[in-house]
Amino acid sequence: MKAIRVHENGGPEVLKVEEIPQPTPKAGEALVAVEAIGLNFIEIYFRRGWYKAALPFTPGSECAGTVVSVGEGVADIVPGNRVATVAAAGSYAKLAIVPAVRLVPLPEAVTSRQGAAALLQGMTAHYLATSVYPVKLGDTCLIHAAAGGVGLLLCQIAKKLGARVIGTVSTREKAALAKEAGADEVVLYTEKDFAAEVKSATGGRGVKVVYDSVGSATFEKGLDVLAPRGMMALYGQSSGPVSSFDPQVLNAKGSLFLTRPSLFHYVATREELLRRAGDLFAWIRDGSLKLRVGAEFPLENAAAAHLALEGRKTTGKVLLIP
C-alpha cells in the first residue's frame, strides 16, 4: 500500500512516498481504509525530531474512513463502520491500524472530511476551553494563532461559553476569519505589539487565560498580559520550544498558573473521548460550530502540505487525501 515514510529527521523533503506491506489488525485493533487525513503541527515536531520516534516511521495519527477488518476481541466495531480517530499508528497512508477503543463512530450527517478536520483540533479546543481553563461568562481570553485550525474552533467555543475573545493573527485576511469565528478584538502581531494592545483592550487588567500554541515567540509576553492568578495554557510550539525559565517568575507576575497540556491526557478514557467527540459532532450538526478546511493536498504531496503549514500559508484545517 502507499504510505509516507520518514527515514531521517529534517525538513519537508524527508517525507517520502513508498509502497509498504498492508498491515493486519491484531487483537483489539481495527484496519481502517483512510479517506481523509488531518494534518497537525505535531507531525512537524516528529519530522524535525523535536518529538522522538523510532526511524523509519509513518507520520500522522488523525484520519477518518471505513473499517475494513478487525482483530480478535473487537465487538463494538465492525467492518463497514464509518469512523474517525486521533490514534492511528501512522495515518499518512491508504490503510491505518487503530486500537478499536480509540475509534469514534461518525454520525450519518458528518462526512469523512469533516471528521478528519474536526476531531484532533476540535477536541483540543474543547479540552482547553472546558477543562484546562473552563471559560465562563465574563472571562476575557487571549488566543494566539486565532485563524489556525485550533484557533478558529477555540474562538467559537470560547464565545459559546460566554467569553470575550482577543485573538492574534499575522495577516488581515486571517484577522477577518478570526472575527468571523467570534473574536471580539484581533491584533495583527506583525504590525503591533500584542502585549500592549491586550493591556489597552483590558484597561490594564489583563486576561484570565492565554491559549498559546506558538511557543517561544509569544510565551514571555503572554505571561505579561495575564491578570493575577491567570492561566498560561501552552499547548504547542509552532515557533519553537520555550526556553527554560525560573518558576519564581510566575510568582512575581501575579501568582500565575502554567500548564503544558496534551490532548491525549484529556481523552485518556473512552468515556471522555466519546463525550468530547460527541459534543463536537452535535455542534457541527446544529451549525453552531463551523469547520474551515483551508487546503487539501493529495497524500503524495505531503511535503508541500507541511511546507504550507510551517510557512503560515494556511488557515483552518489542512487535509491530505489518499
Side-chain angles (χ1 to χ4, degrees):
M1 68 169 187
K2 185 184 295 181
I4 301 296
R5 300 285 282 170
V6 174
H7 291 267
E8 61 180 332
N9 297 124
E13 70 279 358
V14 304
L15 298 168
K16 304 295 186 183
V17 183
E18 296 182 6
E19 288 290 332
I20 63 173
Q22 177 174 316
T24 300
K26 299 174 184 175
E29 296 179 337
L31 180 66
V32 176
V34 178
E35 296 165 8
I37 302 156
L39 188 68
N40 298 287
F41 252 101
I42 193 169
E43 287 114 56
I44 293 171
Y45 304 160
F46 276 110
R47 192 204 72 218
R48 288 176 173 173
W50 288 354
Y51 290 1
K52 300 303 178 185
L55 297 166
F57 67 89
T58 300
S61 61
E62 183 180 30
C63 63
T66 303
V67 175
V68 175
S69 59
V70 298
E72 183 181 352
V74 177
D76 55 346
I77 299 289
V78 299
N81 283 168
R82 297 176 57 252
V83 293
T85 187
V86 296
S91 63
Y92 285 27
K94 290 275 193 178
L95 297 161
I97 292 289
V98 186
V101 295
R102 308 310 290 171
L103 288 169
V104 174
L106 284 177
E108 187 175 337
V110 177
T111 67
S112 291
R113 277 174 162 80
Q114 288 176 316
L119 203 58
L120 191 147
Q121 292 178 338
M123 290 196 300
T124 297
H126 189 286
Y127 88 76
L128 288 170
T130 66
S131 297
V132 169
Y133 179 89
V135 174
K136 60 186 182 299
L137 183 65
D139 283 345
T140 300
C141 63
L142 174 63
I143 299 173
H144 286 304
V150 174
L152 288 174
L153 299 173
L154 187 51
C155 284
Q156 294 177 70
I157 294 172
K159 285 301 292 182
K160 189 179 185 70
L161 296 173
R164 176 191 180 193
V165 175
I166 303 173
T168 69
V169 298
S170 59
T171 68
R172 295 187 183 280
E173 176 200 6
K174 291 182 177 182
L177 292 173
K179 280 275 194 181
E180 188 179 323
D184 297 283
E185 291 97 11
V186 181
V187 180
L188 270 72
Y189 68 82
T190 49
E191 298 179 8
K192 296 181 179 179
D193 176 22
F194 80 80
E197 293 298 309
V198 171
K199 282 293 186 73
S200 175
T202 59
R205 293 183 298 276
V207 298
K208 291 289 189 179
V209 59
V210 174
Y211 296 115
D212 187 350
S213 64
V214 178
S216 65
T218 53
F219 178 74
E220 290 187 8
K221 282 188 176 181
L223 295 177
D224 291 337
V225 304
L226 283 167
R229 296 191 298 181
M231 168 74 77
M232 167 63 76
L234 178 68
Y235 69 97
Q237 52 187 47
S238 62
S239 67
V242 171
S243 301
S244 300
F245 82 109
D246 182 356
Q248 174 62 19
V249 170
L250 300 176
N251 173 27
K253 292 182 181 292
S255 295
L256 305 179
F257 294 89
L258 167 65
T259 183
R260 182 58 174 89
S262 168
L263 168 64
F264 301 101
H265 296 127
Y266 285 85
V267 290
T269 67
R270 182 154 181 80
E271 178 185 16
E272 194 168 28
L273 171 68
L274 294 179
R275 176 175 63 81
R276 294 195 193 281
D279 283 349
L280 288 177
F281 293 149
W283 294 338
I284 291 168
R285 287 200 307 269
D286 70 18
S288 62
L289 188 68
K290 308 290 186 186
L291 298 177
R292 177 181 174 82
V293 175
E296 293 185 5
F297 293 82
L299 176 61
E300 49 269 37
N301 290 356
H306 273 225
L307 195 61
L309 186 61
E310 284 182 280
R312 303 190 179 279
K313 300 292 194 294
T314 66
T315 57
K317 187 68 174 182
V318 178
L319 297 179
L320 298 175
I321 306 299

